Amino acid sequence: MAVDPRVDPAVSVVFVCHDGRGRVLLARRGAGARDEPGTWDTGAGALEHGESFADAVRREVREEYAASPQDVETIGVRNVLRGGSHWVAVVNAVRVDPAAVAIGEPHEFDELGWFDLSGLPAPLHSQLPATLELFRGWLRGGPSRTRPPAP
């Protein structure tokens, strides 16, 4: 039985891909995107039945960015209520090789870019600031062997 996020909370995995040097990968949402076309965002996808969070992140990064994650770390959870839907978003920091990244879903995204947190493109997806706040907190503290330097 499929969960309808307009009725029941659904679980998504959100991922902030980074290069291990402080830059983040953002995708501009294309005309075929589910919402907010033309805005820049990190990646995300629904958790499938029986899937671990880390496995869902790995699958989604391969689907959206055609790259294999080098490291995956859960950095927070958000309760997202928007547009009549309810999502529990498990947010992850994911290190990827910038040379391996490409648009894997051209019907969803029309551009990729690497950005310092101090120089983000505009306009941003409405949910991106809260996600990046978790990422900034992850950069500032907490144990991780894969954490890039704070900007």
Side-chain angles (χ1 to χ4, degrees):
M1 177 170 93
V3 173
D4 182 346
R6 293 169 296 168
V7 178
D8 300 307
V11 178
S12 68
V13 292
V14 175
F15 42 94
V16 181
C17 290
H18 65 90
D19 64 359
R21 296 184 182 103
R23 294 184 310 158
V24 296
L25 176 65
L26 298 180
R28 189 173 62 194
R29 300 172 74 81
R34 181 184 66 235
D35 62 8
E36 300 185 46
T39 61
W40 290 88
D41 199 7
T42 60
L47 181 72
E48 294 180 359
H49 180 79
E51 199 171 34
S52 73
F53 296 132
D55 285 346
V57 169
R58 287 183 195 96
R59 174 182 50 77
E60 288 288 343
V61 170
R62 283 189 300 271
E63 289 174 6
E64 292 185 14
Y65 299 140
S68 295
Q70 296 171 332
D71 294 299
V72 176
E73 183 176 344
T74 299
I75 61 173
V77 177
R78 296 188 51 236
N79 189 36
V80 180
L81 297 164
R82 63 185 299 267
S85 66
H86 185 182
W87 293 88
V88 176
V90 180
V91 183
N92 298 268
V94 178
R95 188 168 54 90
V96 295
D97 177 358
V101 171
I103 295 174
E105 295 179 333
H107 57 286
E108 296 281 337
F109 310 110
D110 58 21
E111 188 174 343
L112 295 178
W114 287 96
F115 301 94
D116 285 331
L117 291 174
S118 61
L120 298 174
L124 298 177
H125 188 278
S126 64
Q127 297 301 303
L128 185 58
T131 296
L132 289 180
E133 190 56 37
L134 284 173
F135 184 73
R136 284 183 177 98
W138 175 77
L139 286 173
R140 289 190 297 266
S144 173
R145 61 182 168 74
T146 62
R147 182 166 292 109

